[in-house]
Amino acid sequence: LLFEIARLEPVLASTLQAELDLDRGYLSRMISRFEKKDWIVRDQEAADARARPIRLTAAGRVDMFDPAQFGQRIERRVDRALTGTDATAEQKKKVADILQSAFNDTKVLRDKRIENRKAMADAMQAPTIDRLKIEALRQEQMKVTDESSRRFTKAMEDAGDVLTPAQRQAFFKQWSERHFQGHGKRPG
């Protein structure tokens, strides 16, 4: 969830709920927990007092993007996704390294997405609407999103090459489902 907040910030809880298919109550509890740990803050938009965009704090950013902690989280997630398979420690390490590299490669893209969102907000709040500028920002945002998606897809393909077909099936099933298990997935 922190990664998604970082990826989309500033982001409304309703957007996170829809993007991640999370139960509203679960999401509310997690947001409260993150606030208590000083990992996130909820701002108030001038245009709509009810809208409270979420963003990471400096402490949340450190915890989220500390290379050592981030690497350990990836290793744990890979290990969980390959639990019950005959994957070797070497295979798990290779997969974790591939994914860590992809996350590192996309940090610049993440920063560009944040910069674009801020520029879009500024353009929309300007005294006059510059439609050409807004369209250029939208196109740039789509380009950055596509580049990020392309990099993660390549990483997943490369990770799949390290595994046998049975390991790959188990890994991708667990990797996808792990995101929602015990995380308040909405029924349906």
Side-chain angles (χ1 to χ4, degrees):
L1 183 57
L2 272 180
F3 180 78
E4 293 301 321
I5 292 169
R7 184 174 71 85
L8 299 168
E9 75 179 332
V11 60
L12 296 174
S14 59
T15 302
L16 286 170
Q17 182 183 359
E19 288 276 325
L20 302 175
D21 194 28
L22 295 174
D23 174 75
R24 186 187 318 185
Y26 169 77
L27 181 60
S28 177
R29 288 188 302 275
M30 291 305 295
I31 289 170
S32 293
R33 184 180 305 167
F34 292 167
E35 277 185 307
K36 286 177 186 168
K37 290 183 177 189
D38 192 35
W39 288 349
I40 64 165
V41 294
R42 290 190 274 187
D43 298 323
Q44 194 164 6
E45 286 189 348
D48 183 353
R50 296 168 300 169
R52 302 208 44 217
I54 301 164
R55 62 181 171 79
L56 291 179
T57 62
R61 216 168 287 294
V62 167
D63 286 349
M64 179 67 197
F65 294 107
D66 174 63
Q69 288 185 12
F70 198 67
Q72 289 171 356
R73 281 196 296 272
I74 289 174
E75 287 174 11
R76 284 192 306 269
R77 188 160 177 203
V78 167
D79 190 56
R80 279 192 303 262
L82 288 169
T83 296
T85 70
D86 60 351
T88 65
E90 182 181 350
Q91 284 175 302
K92 291 177 181 180
K93 173 100 174 84
K94 284 181 182 178
V95 169
D97 288 348
I98 288 166
L99 296 174
Q100 177 71 49
S101 177
F103 281 105
N104 290 340
D105 291 349
T106 58
K107 282 182 185 175
V108 172
L109 298 173
R110 179 192 161 279
D111 293 341
K112 183 65 178 164
R113 279 194 304 272
I114 291 170
E115 182 183 310
N116 285 347
R117 276 196 296 275
K118 289 177 182 172
M120 180 68 82
D122 290 345
M124 293 299 247
Q125 296 174 37
T128 59
I129 299 291
D130 183 342
R131 294 180 189 283
L132 292 176
K133 181 178 184 177
I134 291 169
E135 178 58 19
L137 287 167
R138 186 197 67 77
Q139 288 178 10
E140 177 62 23
Q141 193 73 327
M142 295 308 296
K143 180 180 162 189
V144 171
T145 299
D146 187 55
E147 192 174 336
S148 181
S149 174
R150 199 174 311 122
R151 179 61 183 100
F152 278 112
T153 299
K154 182 186 180 320
M156 293 306 245
E157 290 169 339
D158 292 347
D161 288 341
V162 171
L163 305 170
T164 67
Q167 291 168 339
R168 188 171 53 247
Q169 289 173 351
F171 175 78
F172 287 111
K173 182 175 192 273
Q174 286 296 320
W175 188 267
S176 298
E177 289 178 1
R178 162 66 182 102
H179 185 72
F180 295 111
Q181 288 176 347
H183 290 81
K185 183 176 180 184
R186 293 182 300 187

